[in-house]
Amino acid sequence: MKLFDVLKLNDPSIDPNSAKLHLACWNGSDDPVDVFRHGRFQEWQAWQRARNFERPQIVSLIQMRGGGQRWLFAGCFDQKGCARHPSHPNEWLYQTTERSSTESLSGRLIVQYQRQGRNSYRNAETIADELLVVELRDKRVSAHVFTDYSEVRLSKMDLDLIVSHQSDAWVEALSSVRGIYVITDTSNGKLYVGSALSNTRQREKGGIWERWSDYAKNGHGGDVDLKQVIAANGIDHAQKHFQYSILEIAGSTATDEDVKAREGHWKRVLGTYAHGYNKNLEADVDHVV
């Protein structure tokens, strides 16, 4: 079934001839899937470098990760006018209102479309016949689902959402283990390697969850090296560019000293003393093996 046929079942006034189709993709700074997940898509979309939405309706699709043919329906919006952006006078800020008639489909409807070229703003009638609905998910896209430690790759926005929601699967998985993790600065490829030890603060939830909850609060988690990065670049840098992954889970018989030794090992393997954000070489000398 075609996308606009589905939308018209909910709202007959939606018309491809009156709609601008927004094909939202990774722009080198923001992943619109993450922006949508965190409830900021309408605000994010409203800020444009040119007058891209000069039609009364906007139908928004977000390219799913991997850059393929699958797109997430992100809503239908009424365009209420635009003005120069107050902080960026060469850019534009649109006023939009999401239509409640299609809100139940937002974040659930998956569309198949093979994008031709790089144009992200199309008059909807020109490609309406190519937009095929292939899936209607039971639940709206939200935080990442935990699958396996080896597959964890969270943006700072993902981490903030998981911590704020106290997502059960993530709490159970991360609070039950100690181990070594890596924070990647995607703006420059620099790494920070850290470790999660035994619960030293008598918190209800320890392990990696305890450490990562600290990062969700302020981006640096109290780590001196990361404090310097954020002091120099601002918290927005962490929000946009920090990514969290797990390198190694400690065995049940490993001591905290064993975990610290493995942390030092990974710092040397990944070169984070010389080329990353770990500058505490002296603190790890005792763990060289």
Side-chain angles (χ1 to χ4, degrees):
M1 197 169 186
K2 298 174 184 177
L3 171 64
F4 278 91
D5 291 338
V6 173
L7 297 180
K8 281 178 172 291
L9 291 175
N10 288 60
D11 188 338
S13 69
I14 295 175
D15 181 5
N17 292 291
S18 301
K20 181 68 79 169
L21 190 71
H22 182 200
L23 301 170
C25 305
W26 166 255
N27 62 9
S29 176
D30 299 314
D31 185 338
V33 174
D34 286 338
V35 173
F36 180 86
R37 227 187 237 117
H38 291 82
R40 298 192 299 107
F41 181 78
Q42 184 173 354
E43 173 189 355
W44 179 83
Q45 176 179 252
W47 184 354
Q48 294 289 318
R49 293 181 179 177
R51 299 189 65 154
N52 294 315
F53 296 139
E54 296 302 293
R55 280 190 162 192
Q57 299 172 10
I58 305 167
V59 173
S60 302
L61 298 177
I62 299 173
Q63 189 170 39
M64 305 292 280
R65 283 183 174 146
Q69 301 180 25
R70 291 170 66 85
W71 301 75
L72 179 71
F73 173 66
C76 182
F77 304 85
D78 289 315
Q79 192 261 107
K80 301 291 188 179
C82 73
R84 294 284 184 181
H85 194 285
S87 304
H88 301 268
N90 293 325
E91 300 178 4
W92 299 90
L93 192 63
Y94 278 85
Q95 297 179 20
T96 63
T97 302
E98 184 174 5
R99 290 201 172 194
S100 59
S101 56
T102 59
E103 197 170 354
S104 64
L105 300 176
S106 178
R108 297 174 56 216
L109 206 63
I110 306 298
V111 175
Q112 180 176 304
Y113 169 64
Q114 179 60 58
R115 184 186 183 195
Q116 303 295 328
R118 301 182 62 182
N119 186 3
S120 295
Y121 307 92
R122 302 288 302 271
N123 290 337
E125 73 275 10
T126 63
I127 57 172
D129 289 342
E130 303 173 48
L131 304 173
L132 304 179
V133 174
V134 294
E135 183 182 351
L136 178 61
R137 296 186 173 180
D138 292 335
K139 295 182 179 179
R140 182 182 173 94
V141 166
S142 57
H144 282 292
V145 176
F146 178 82
T147 54
D148 187 82
Y149 296 111
S150 64
E151 297 181 359
V152 172
R153 182 171 65 88
L154 299 174
S155 68
K156 176 65 164 58
M157 287 195 296
D158 288 329
L159 180 63
D160 292 351
L161 184 63
I162 288 167
V163 171
S164 66
H165 287 183
Q166 295 285 296
S167 303
D168 290 342
W170 285 97
V171 171
E172 181 178 353
L174 298 185
S175 64
S176 62
V177 296
R178 298 166 299 150
I180 317 303
Y181 57 85
V182 61
I183 301 173
T184 304
D185 186 334
T186 60
S187 73
N188 55 25
K190 289 187 177 182
L191 307 176
Y192 176 88
V193 170
S195 62
L197 306 177
S198 300
N199 186 354
T200 58
R201 306 177 204 177
Q202 281 67 55
R203 292 185 180 180
E204 182 181 350
K205 308 176 184 75
I208 292 175
W209 179 265
E210 177 182 328
R211 287 299 298 125
W212 285 14
S213 294
D214 290 338
Y215 291 125
K217 290 179 182 177
N218 52 32
H220 57 68
D223 296 322
V224 174
D225 303 318
L226 292 182
K227 279 184 177 180
Q228 295 175 358
V229 177
I230 291 175
N233 300 284
I235 187 62
D236 284 348
H237 185 83
Q239 203 72 21
K240 290 183 177 180
H241 300 298
F242 280 11
Q243 176 179 282
Y244 304 80
S245 302
I246 296 172
L247 292 172
E248 182 177 333
I249 296 299
S252 59
T253 61
T255 66
D256 282 352
E257 284 299 305
D258 294 332
V259 176
K260 290 298 292 182
R262 294 300 295 168
E263 178 186 356
H265 166 77
W266 278 109
K267 288 175 180 176
R268 290 184 290 278
V269 167
L270 298 175
T272 61
Y273 294 121
H275 307 293
Y277 288 143
N278 290 111
K279 304 304 179 186
N280 58 338
L281 176 58
E282 295 79 7
D284 292 315
V285 168
D286 292 341
H287 302 295
V288 174
V289 293

